[in-house]
Amino acid sequence: MGNVIKTNKMTAIILAGGKSSRMGRDKSLVEFDGEPLLARAVRVLGELFDEVVVVTNQDIPIELNGAGVVHDDVPYQGPLGGISAGLKASSHENNFVIAVDMPFISADVVEYLAGFAGETDVVVPRTPNGLEPLFAFYNKRSLPAIEKALAQGERKIISMFPQANVRTVEHAEMVGLKGADTTFLNVNTERDLKDAQVQVRGMSVEKDNSPKVVDLDDDDERIPVERPVTIYVNSEELVTVQASLEHLDELACGFLFAEGVLQERGELLDIRINEERGEVRVRTKKSTTNASKSMGKRFVTSGCGKGFSFVSLGDALNIAKNKSRFTVPAKDIPELMKQFLRSSRRAGMHSSGLIKDGEIAFIRQDIGRHNTVDMIVGRLWLDGVDDRDVLLFTTGRISYEMVVKAAKARIPVLVTRTAATDMAADLAKRLGIEVVGYVRGANMKVYTDGARIVGSRE
């Protein structure tokens, strides 16, 4: 059994650069019990450790009370890449690594786990839900195993465990510690956040159907953010869009990929985001000098916030036809739409969601419907995902440029609860994409051939 020791000669590393896929916005800045989750983690861990390091892939617009900030060595290598960057920046051999979305940090559990640090490369607790590698201690001796896993293209933390000396601390060993029942809880979704807020306030949720004045501090009812965001490529100003300041890295990459500025994932060097100035600066390996001129004429689209596209309908007809054999049962689409809409309740915001293997993989929300599609396309591009047997659900009207984005991303099925335009339907037929609209109750309208929608013609 480990000795309970002080952690003042160790470093706390907070991973704050995750995708926030299911939350739909940057979790590090989400307000919890009166402060952003990141500020809360820095405050609590600052009382336990003499050094706190935050690993992120974007600028942080809040005060961090002396915590150091480092960026991932190579962007978008997942939490394993974040641990690598944090360990390299740390001043100590033993380091506590935690995800930013875990608000109930128990000092007793942290110090108990710290008692095993130094004896081994990794100290990881196991709960009834499995291993907790994002609430664990990592000695700098684990760096070679981490670097080897990253070099092999691995992104999961546990992929490096076979190459390291790992001490697993079982749940039964921690069950008597104060806070052990809540310290491993995290907030992945808006529902998780509400549950955690209720728990911290010691309140119970009671159903109340009586009329009430809407609280604009409620996450489902808050006023949408709208700001101009300018995208730069290799210092060249390319375009300015109206956006909600969420997932700007995905928004920029999705837009640039759909417009043909970005192609292969290896072209990307880094992305720098400045929310206060409304800037996304993308740096690439190959020269894109005068990109805006070479891309030709801008087309004002039907999107919210005066969307732009450089792809004309004539250009779109040259996109390769989608020859995927992916199909989906027509009977599954209404239930998937219900799940999608239940997860998309933010006032004044459009939503798009990626459906994979019959489940919602992630959702993106913004004031502009085109932006939400760009975010999804950008996420797929950043992750280098090749498997595109997916559906893209959206709350907004499907127009031709949304079909173009789906075609560029090789997404075979588009679904909306509203309508599709005639240009969108015609282009989708030519490009091998199914478009389904007016999904309400058990009903839907298939605008295209319907070959991928099994049972739609019965």
Side-chain angles (χ1 to χ4, degrees), residues 251-313:
L251 172 62
C253 288
F255 176 83
L256 294 174
F257 173 72
E259 303 297 336
V261 177
L262 292 176
Q263 296 177 5
E264 299 298 325
R265 174 63 178 82
E267 297 172 7
L268 179 66
L269 288 176
D270 60 47
I271 303 172
R272 289 289 179 259
I273 297 170
N274 188 320
E275 288 189 1
E276 291 186 1
R277 298 178 62 177
E279 294 180 352
V280 184
R281 294 185 176 271
V282 178
R283 195 162 60 93
T284 65
K285 290 180 180 178
K286 69 177 185 179
S287 172
T288 54
T289 304
N290 297 324
S292 59
K293 291 182 181 178
S294 65
M295 289 167 65
K297 183 179 179 181
R298 292 183 183 184
F299 295 84
V300 179
T301 72
S302 59
C304 310
K306 293 185 178 180
F308 286 102
S309 176
F310 297 92
V311 180
S312 69
L313 181 57

Side-chain angles (χ1 to χ4, degrees), residues 269-447:
L269 288 176
D270 60 47
I271 303 172
R272 289 289 179 259
I273 297 170
N274 188 320
E275 288 189 1
E276 291 186 1
R277 298 178 62 177
E279 294 180 352
V280 184
R281 294 185 176 271
V282 178
R283 195 162 60 93
T284 65
K285 290 180 180 178
K286 69 177 185 179
S287 172
T288 54
T289 304
N290 297 324
S292 59
K293 291 182 181 178
S294 65
M295 289 167 65
K297 183 179 179 181
R298 292 183 183 184
F299 295 84
V300 179
T301 72
S302 59
C304 310
K306 293 185 178 180
F308 286 102
S309 176
F310 297 92
V311 180
S312 69
L313 181 57
D315 295 331
L317 294 175
N318 293 321
I319 299 173
K321 187 172 183 178
N322 192 316
K323 296 182 179 180
S324 165
R325 296 182 179 179
F326 174 73
T327 60
V328 59
K331 63 181 179 60
D332 291 353
I333 291 177
E335 180 57 34
L336 288 170
M337 179 60 75
K338 290 179 184 177
Q339 295 176 26
F340 168 61
L341 294 177
R342 281 197 298 266
S343 302
S344 303
R345 293 183 294 184
R346 285 175 64 186
M349 302 282 270
H350 284 288
S351 298
S352 290
L354 194 77
I355 312 298
K356 173 67 177 172
D357 296 329
E359 297 182 351
I360 299 173
F362 58 90
I363 287 174
R364 292 292 180 262
Q365 297 181 285
D366 193 273
I367 59 165
R369 57 192 170 89
H370 295 81
N371 293 348
T372 63
V373 177
D374 281 331
M375 290 173 184
I376 286 179
V377 171
R379 184 73 264 155
L380 292 172
W381 186 83
L382 284 166
D383 288 346
V385 176
D386 291 325
D387 181 2
R388 300 296 172 87
D389 287 349
V390 296
L391 301 90
L392 194 155
F393 276 49
T394 184
T395 55
R397 181 182 64 254
I398 295 176
S399 50
Y400 96 85
E401 64 275 16
M402 293 177 73
V403 173
V404 169
K405 295 177 189 295
K408 287 288 191 74
R410 307 197 315 279
I411 295 173
V413 181
L414 290 174
V415 182
T416 179
R417 66 174 178 174
T418 59
T421 67
D422 59 345
M423 286 179 65
D426 289 343
L427 180 61
K429 289 177 183 178
R430 296 192 188 196
L431 297 181
I433 296 173
E434 297 287 5
V435 174
V436 181
Y438 290 112
V439 182
R440 298 174 182 180
N443 300 316
M444 69 187 77
K445 176 179 177 63
V446 180
Y447 287 88

Side-chain angles (χ1 to χ4, degrees), residues 110-130:
V110 171
E111 291 198 342
Y112 182 79
L113 295 176
F116 301 98
E119 302 174 4
T120 185
D121 299 337
V122 180
V123 179
V124 59
R126 192 198 319 265
T127 70
N129 294 321

